Amino acid sequence: MSATQTTIITYLGTPIFGICLSILLFLFGQWLFKIGKGFFLFQPLFVGMVLGIFVLWLMAKAFGVDVTWFYTNAYKPGGDIIFWFLNPATIAFAVPLYKRNDIVKRFWLEILISLIVGLFISLFVIYGVSKLLGMDNNGIASMLPQAATTAIAMPISGAIGGTPAITAMACILNAVLIYALATWLIKLFHLTEPIGQGLGLGTAGHTVGSAKALQLSSASGAMAAIAVVIISIVVDLVVPTFANFMGLIK
Amino acid sequence: MADKAKVTQTTSDEKKDAPILVQMGIFAAVLFVSSLISPLFPPTFPVPVPVIGLVLLYLLLTFHIVKVEWVDKFATFMISLIAFLFVPSGIQLTASLNIMKAQGLQIIIAIIISTVVLLVVVAYTTSFFIWIRKTVFHGDVSVSDEVKK
């Protein structure tokens, strides 16, 4: 290990660097979003992510160390602490879901059927689009499980011959994209019916999609929360079979 | 009817939120139990801790073992933080920069299309099945926007 690397670990290796950087970038994103009058590319999460990657890349270049090494040793300790809080944050969606139990009790059959059928249709479209883009079997397999939450999608991706890191990237970008584009997409495709809107947002945008749906209406938020759970389990069951059927697993 | 709604409104307002530490304690306990359940699933059928936790807390609320005012405030706070909590996941892509360099554009286009497809297909499929309930079974499909306290 070089002297620079030792210095970096001494001064930036504690979690507080990653925590401070994340908070600063997110607050900067919020400020930018406010003065940019809500321009979609200025969404705080998107700004925080892009600037964060840029800052880490810049610092790694300035210190003359490998970017991945710098990320793992300087940012990750703090990033992991923030990341851990996604556990209680995901559990928290039980509350908006419970508050709209009336919808769950009335529409549980429609919710279940729609998520299963919707996922099946989506898998065919995603398969076709990936094929058209000229991706190999490994790339296609990495795209298929992305509707599930990251912790489910990654092992499935590996099991059906994909690259778990690419699938994780897909899950993250799903969330970022939905957070940035949901309002516009809902208008574009006229997704005004709250149950479908919520299930769609939860499937495509995971927990972030649920937070977005909750801003639209309590009904939509509850549906998104239920979608996150059910779609993950449906992906668990359906995607390996689909991949097998499509000949992705040798 | 309106009076009755008003009465329930006031009584529910009088319900006291549990102290924030108690609320955090309930979340911690649910997480702990979930982390004990999660390894019981086989590796071929992974069910992560937060997914089990969400179902568990939902069941506790539905069977009135945990009252909603015991967890409401902390849950609302955590949900309001979601976008921020995702920043490290986004920055995590720094570690995959070499994959991006190799076939980045292709992957990103595929992910953007997939995201839109998932949103639109699921939303339209749901609307279709709700339309069936309405026209074929003449079911009531109106969804109120009032929140049960």
Side-chain angles (χ1 to χ4, degrees):
Chain A
M1 193 178 286
S2 72
T4 348
Q5 285 180 324
T6 321
T7 321
I8 291 172
I9 289 184
T10 316
Y11 289 103
L12 302 177
T14 52
I16 200 66
F17 169 69
I19 294 175
C20 283
L21 183 69
S22 310
I23 294 180
L24 267 177
L25 291 173
F26 191 77
L27 289 177
F28 176 74
Q30 281 188 327
W31 173 78
L32 205 64
F33 189 65
K34 204 175 149 196
I35 63 158
K37 297 196 172 61
F39 179 58
F40 76 97
L41 279 180
F42 288 168
Q43 291 276 6
L45 171 57
F46 189 68
V47 173
M49 172 189 135
V50 173
L51 280 185
I53 294 174
F54 182 66
V55 167
L56 290 180
W57 180 80
L58 214 62
M59 287 176 84
K61 283 278 172 276
F63 288 122
V65 294
D66 177 54
V67 183
T68 310
W69 184 90
F70 187 75
Y71 161 78
T72 317
N73 290 283
Y75 180 77
K76 202 167 178 287
D80 278 348
I81 291 181
I82 299 174
F83 181 76
W84 183 86
F85 281 94
L86 277 175
N87 288 316
T90 306
I91 294 179
F93 280 99
V95 174
L97 180 58
Y98 165 75
K99 282 182 183 168
R100 294 317 305 265
N101 236 348
D102 57 325
I103 308 179
V104 181
K105 279 173 186 153
R106 275 169 62 207
F107 292 100
W108 65 270
L109 190 62
E110 277 88 351
I111 294 168
L112 203 60
I113 297 175
S114 305
L115 285 175
I116 294 171
V117 174
L119 181 72
F120 252 109
I121 301 172
S122 303
L123 284 178
F124 278 104
V125 180
I126 293 170
Y127 180 87
V129 167
S130 310
K131 200 110 199 170
L132 277 180
L133 284 166
M135 294 171 89
D136 52 8
N137 277 359
N138 171 279
I140 298 172
S142 309
M143 287 299 112
L144 294 178
Q146 61 180 294
T149 175
T150 321
I152 288 181
M154 282 177 76
I156 290 186
S157 168
I160 62 172
T163 309
I166 297 181
T167 309
M169 188 164 100
C171 292
I172 295 159
L173 285 180
N174 289 154
V176 175
L177 285 166
I178 285 297
Y179 187 63
L181 301 176
T183 321
W184 178 71
L185 286 171
I186 284 167
K187 225 177 265 168
L188 184 70
F189 291 101
H190 304 287
L191 311 175
T192 43
E193 187 272 310
I195 298 180
Q197 183 191 71
L199 292 179
L201 284 173
T203 306
H206 315 290
T207 14
V208 173
S210 310
K212 198 86 203 174
L214 207 52
Q215 290 169 7
L216 298 167
S217 72
S218 67
S220 185
M223 289 302 100
I226 203 170
V228 170
V229 173
I230 307 280
I231 204 76
S232 291
I233 292 162
V234 175
V235 165
D236 241 354
L237 295 168
V238 161
V239 169
T241 322
F242 179 84
N244 215 349
F245 179 68
M246 286 303 193
L248 289 175
I249 309 169
K250 274 150 230 129
Chain B
M1 181 69 190
D3 282 341
K4 199 185 166 193
K6 208 178 169 188
V7 169
T8 24
Q9 187 70 35
T10 24
T11 43
S12 67
D13 280 346
E14 279 163 9
K15 280 180 189 165
K16 272 266 172 59
D17 282 325
I20 208 74
L21 196 59
V22 173
Q23 305 206 6
M24 286 166 81
I26 293 172
F27 270 73
V30 170
L31 263 177
F32 178 64
V33 174
S34 311
S35 70
L36 296 180
I37 299 174
S38 182
L40 300 178
F41 288 93
T44 45
F45 186 73
V47 186
V49 174
V51 171
I52 296 173
L54 205 169
V55 175
L56 208 60
L57 184 57
Y58 170 73
L59 291 177
L60 288 173
L61 286 166
T62 305
F63 293 117
H64 303 289
I65 299 164
V66 167
K67 284 190 181 136
V68 70
E69 60 269 21
W70 295 354
V71 286
D72 198 5
K73 215 167 188 170
F74 187 64
T76 314
F77 170 68
M78 286 313 291
I79 290 171
S80 72
L81 280 184
I82 280 277
F84 167 70
L85 296 178
F86 251 85
V87 170
S89 311
I91 294 181
Q92 188 198 324
L93 297 183
T94 318
S96 332
L97 281 181
N98 37 357
I99 304 176
M100 301 278 268
K101 255 178 224 156
Q103 37 183 335
L105 194 65
Q106 218 182 13
I107 293 176
I108 288 179
I109 294 173
I111 294 172
I112 293 174
I113 298 175
S114 306
T115 310
V116 177
V117 165
L118 285 169
L119 170 69
V120 174
V121 168
V122 170
Y124 280 157
T125 314
T126 313
S127 301
F128 171 72
F129 282 112
I130 286 178
W131 175 83
I132 287 187
R133 181 197 186 105
K134 192 176 159 187
T135 47
V136 180
F137 301 105
H138 304 287
D140 174 25
V141 294
S142 58
V143 173
S144 69
D145 208 35
E146 69 193 28
V147 181
K148 185 174 103 190
K149 285 271 175 177

